[in-house]
Amino acid sequence: MSCSRMENKILGYVDGHLKESERLEMEKHLAACAACNLRVNEFRAVTGLLDELPVIEPSEAFDLRVRARVAAEPAKQSWWAWFAPSPRVVFAASMLLLATVWLGSRPPESSLSAADIDKINQNMQVLENYDVISDFAPLSELPQPVQNDDDSDANQTQKM
């Protein structure tokens, strides 16, 4: 049996609260383990010292004072109390509702004029293909055009 498992049972053994099988197992371990036996003897010595102390009886009014202090404690509110309407919560909720209704009832504003909308509709094909037009990566992969000697001779004669 391991000492760490027995450490959890030492106080029960000293106080006499272990079952018969656990007590026998503990006594068997204590016969073989000097460290646990020393610990049990230390706990017995502490328990003996505590037993020698006088028992202090509370005063007659102690019970009354404790009950009065418990009664004076504020009662715990249930979590439903949070939902109780307070003036601030009601005001904030009503302002939020009012702002929502006001923003929802406004007509949608169009910053574009009718001429701008017509221009957009005319150029819709260009706008639909804007992503293709704006991406020139495929064009950069094409080889550079090669100039023919005939073209360069014609260019030189035209310059003269």
Side-chain angles (χ1 to χ4, degrees):
M1 192 68 23
S2 68
C3 290
S4 62
R5 185 169 171 226
M6 286 298 142
E7 275 187 6
N8 296 333
K9 296 182 180 185
I10 287 178
L11 285 177
Y13 176 74
V14 170
D15 292 337
H17 295 298
L18 291 182
K19 297 178 187 173
E20 185 65 26
S21 61
E22 291 175 333
R23 185 184 60 79
L24 292 174
E25 184 180 14
M26 182 65 130
E27 287 175 354
K28 182 180 173 186
H29 178 76
L30 290 174
C33 181
C36 289
N37 197 5
L38 177 65
R39 169 106 9 143
V40 166
N41 289 335
E42 288 172 348
F43 276 115
R44 283 184 179 150
V46 169
T47 304
L49 287 174
L50 290 175
D51 288 340
E52 290 177 8
L53 291 175
V55 177
I56 301 172
E57 293 292 327
S59 67
E60 304 274 330
F62 177 77
D63 189 38
L64 294 174
R65 286 194 312 255
V66 169
R67 289 181 191 267
R69 288 181 89 180
V70 168
E73 288 286 320
K76 268 191 169 178
Q77 293 181 351
S78 69
W79 63 278
W80 285 103
W82 184 79
F83 291 111
S86 69
R88 287 184 223 161
V89 172
V90 171
F91 179 73
S94 62
M95 289 295 114
L96 182 63
L97 181 64
L98 182 66
T100 303
V101 168
W102 179 67
L103 288 174
S105 65
R106 290 179 40 194
E109 294 180 15
S110 176
S111 61
L112 299 175
S113 66
D116 292 336
I117 293 173
D118 287 340
K119 192 184 278 186
I120 290 171
N121 287 336
Q122 289 172 356
N123 297 324
M124 189 57 71
Q125 287 295 330
V126 174
L127 292 175
E128 286 176 351
N129 296 326
Y130 180 74
D131 59 331
V132 175
I133 293 170
S134 65
D135 185 17
F136 290 101
L139 295 178
S140 64
E141 294 173 5
L142 293 175
Q144 294 297 325
V146 178
Q147 290 185 347
N148 294 338
D149 289 337
D150 297 335
D151 291 338
S152 62
D153 290 339
N155 287 339
Q156 287 178 357
T157 54
Q158 287 177 356
K159 288 181 183 177
M160 289 186 184

